[in-house]
């Protein structure tokens, strides 16, 4: 088997995807890479690590050649809040990085996983049970790069035969690495603050309903999609996947089941609120279920119980 390269590996997803891939395929076969230097002693130190800036094609080319890479999980990107602050940089990293990865994949016959997002939809998209194929006119720079990325992946598959695959991921909730500056980050921050201080000040309105998923389901979805028979993939790039939908108010109630004196209040960030108001409340993921057997394991109650148990172990503090 040829090697697997993960770009942006030190981020929220990569911190859990790399160990999962190493467990499945062997530590030596999975090369973690990021713009940042790998902290020694981290999980990323359990196998090969390379410093790769995806905006520099020669750095991607060099690591693909040296490690005989056959599959690239391309995670390097700026998330929605950061992309709104720095739209020009977001275009360079999100689009330039993906273009460079696809070009190397074309030359070295690599398969590519590239995540899209609920951010690929916009205010004119139906917000409930958002269909697999529907209007995509996002108004954020993040969304623009996500739609363009879906199309670029389709183009490389159709024109050059590159095996490109992708998921439209909801907001991801996890307890290993903190999220990197998105609109759905509140759904992670709230757990840390609830355990530490029994209080959280939320940057979205109490009724902002969004599609969400627990990280173990997301990691399984990525690996399952990449292992699926190519002939069964009717949408290859950007399958809707869904697990749960909730508002900050509903999540706070679920946390109160475990931490009864937890209190939430609201200090709305208008930039993230505007982005959230343009995103789906729930996705129709029937194509992923039919084509490659997608089904989530975690709902709101089981995710919340697991997050609290694991973060109590990690952070200590009162039970
Ligand atoms: P993150 O911000 O936590 O991590 C991104 C990583 O990319 C960081 O470690 C950063 O150092 C690295 N990076 C930035 N610029 C780089 C460059 N030029 N070259 C190499 N590395 C660079 O992001 P994440 O949450 O792990 O997301 C990964 C991918 O999944 C992104 O495409 C994101 O849009 C997508 N996604 C994430 C979520 C989510 O909720 N986390 C949801 C939907 C889609
Ligand atoms: C963000 O909020 O930017 C991400 C995403 C849903 O794409 N978490």
């Amino acid at each position: 088997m040829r090697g697997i390269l993960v770009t942006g590996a030190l981020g929220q997803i990569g911190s859990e995807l790399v160990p999962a891939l190493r467990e499945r395929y062997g530590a030596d076969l999975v090369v973690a890479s990021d713009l940042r230097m790998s902290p020694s002693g981290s999980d990323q130190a359990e196998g090969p690590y390379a410093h790769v800036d995806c905006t520099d094609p020669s750095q991607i080319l060099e690591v693909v050649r040296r490690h005989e890479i056959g599959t690239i999980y391309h995670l390097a990107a700026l998330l929605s809040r950061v992309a709104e602050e720095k739209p020009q940089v977001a275009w360079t990293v999100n689009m330039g990085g993906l273009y460079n990865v696809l070009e190397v994949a074309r030359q070295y016959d690599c398969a590519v996983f590239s995540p899209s997002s609920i951010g690929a939809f916009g205010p004119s998209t139906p917000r409930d049970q958002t269909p697999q194929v529907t209007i995509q006119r996002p108004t954020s720079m993040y969304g623009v790069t996500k739609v363009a990325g879906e199309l670029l992946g389709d183009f490389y598959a159709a024109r050059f035969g590159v095996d490109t695959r992708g998921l439209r991921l909801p907001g991801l909730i996890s307890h290993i690495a903190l999220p990197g500056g998105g609109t759905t980050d509140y759904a992670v921050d709230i757990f840390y603050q609830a355990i530490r201080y029994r209080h959280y000040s939320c940057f979205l309105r109490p009724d902002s309903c969004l599609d969400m998923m627990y990280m173990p389901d997301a990691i399984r979805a990525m690996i399952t999609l990449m292992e699926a028979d190519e002939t069964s993939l009717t949408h290859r790039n950007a399958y809707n996947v869904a697990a749960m939908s909730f508002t900050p108010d509903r999540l706070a109630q679920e946390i109160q089941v475990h931490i009864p004196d937890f209190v939430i209040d609201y200090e709305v960030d208008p930039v993230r609120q505007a982005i959230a108001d343009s995103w789906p409340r729930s996705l129709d993921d029937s194509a992923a279920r039919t084509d490659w057997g997608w089904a989530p394991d975690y709902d709101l109650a089981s995710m919340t119980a697991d997050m609290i148990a694991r973060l109590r172990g990690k952070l200590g503090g009162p039970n």
Side-chain angles (χ1 to χ4, degrees):
M1 187 180 169
R2 289 158 74 201
I4 298 172
L5 172 66
V6 181
T7 72
L10 298 182
Q12 189 192 5
I13 297 179
S15 298
E16 301 195 42
L17 179 64
V18 168
L21 291 171
R22 285 184 174 155
E23 166 105 33
R24 194 165 180 84
Y25 304 111
D28 293 346
L29 221 54
V30 180
V31 183
S33 73
D34 203 287
L35 189 60
R36 295 183 269 162
M37 300 310 287
S38 170
S40 57
S42 73
D43 281 349
Q44 310 288 10
E46 302 296 313
Y49 183 84
H51 176 266
V52 174
D53 178 351
C54 291
T55 63
D56 179 351
S58 68
Q59 294 187 25
I60 306 169
L61 201 63
E62 204 274 323
V63 75
V64 164
R65 271 199 202 125
R66 182 153 45 97
H67 292 277
E68 295 181 21
I69 297 297
T71 301
I72 304 173
Y73 285 81
H74 177 51
L75 304 181
L78 301 193
L79 272 75
S80 56
R81 179 64 170 96
V82 181
E84 278 319 276
E85 272 165 29
K86 309 181 216 170
Q88 296 85 353
V89 183
W91 181 264
T92 304
V93 175
N94 294 14
M95 290 315 298
L98 178 60
Y99 174 76
N100 293 337
V101 164
L102 289 169
E103 267 299 291
V104 171
R106 177 181 69 77
Q107 293 162 48
Y108 285 86
D109 191 24
C110 302
V112 176
F113 173 83
S114 174
S116 186
S117 158
I118 51 172
F121 300 110
S124 50
T125 306
R127 291 192 70 201
D128 296 301
Q129 285 300 299
T130 302
Q132 176 66 42
V133 179
T134 185
I135 301 162
Q136 289 184 267
R137 307 284 295 175
T139 43
S140 67
M141 176 50 97
Y142 181 67
V144 169
T145 66
K146 287 301 174 191
V147 178
E150 291 181 11
L151 295 173
L152 197 60
D154 283 345
F155 177 81
Y156 269 74
R159 177 71 178 269
F160 301 121
V162 178
D163 185 358
T164 57
R165 304 185 186 195
L167 300 171
R168 291 186 187 127
L169 292 170
L172 298 181
I173 300 149
S174 67
H175 53 83
I176 304 286
L178 288 169
T183 302
T184 58
D185 294 14
Y186 91 84
V188 179
D189 300 342
I190 192 172
F191 285 99
Y192 282 81
Q193 303 300 316
I195 289 169
R196 283 185 172 134
Y197 309 117
R198 287 160 157 51
H199 170 258
Y200 180 63
S201 196
C202 184
F203 57 75
L204 293 183
R205 277 195 323 264
D207 62 345
S208 301
C209 186
L210 289 169
D211 204 51
M212 300 277 186
M213 184 179 288
Y214 198 29
M215 190 63 86
D217 278 332
I219 299 296
R220 194 167 46 77
M222 293 176 219
I223 296 174
T224 306
L225 175 67
M226 290 308 282
E227 289 183 350
D229 178 359
E230 197 176 356
T231 59
S232 67
L233 302 180
T234 54
H235 294 280
R236 85 165 30 257
N237 269 304
Y239 275 96
N240 286 1
V241 280
M244 61 189 93
S245 290
F246 55 75
T247 62
D249 179 53
R250 178 70 191 87
L251 178 56
Q253 286 171 28
E254 197 59 40
I255 290 173
Q256 282 160 351
V257 171
H258 304 268
I259 307 174
D261 55 347
F262 170 64
V263 174
I264 188 167
D265 58 28
Y266 297 89
E267 206 172 317
V268 172
D269 167 9
V271 174
R272 283 183 282 202
Q273 187 64 58
I275 295 173
D277 287 343
S278 74
W279 284 1
R281 287 184 280 256
S282 62
L283 296 183
D284 172 0
D285 61 357
S286 50
R289 288 173 184 266
T290 303
D291 288 3
W292 47 277
W294 159 248
D297 285 339
Y298 288 89
D299 61 11
L300 174 59
S302 53
M303 176 278 289
T304 302
D306 200 60
M307 275 293 285
I308 288 177
R310 287 176 187 274
L311 279 180
R312 275 181 173 150
K314 179 172 161 172
L315 304 174
N319 286 314

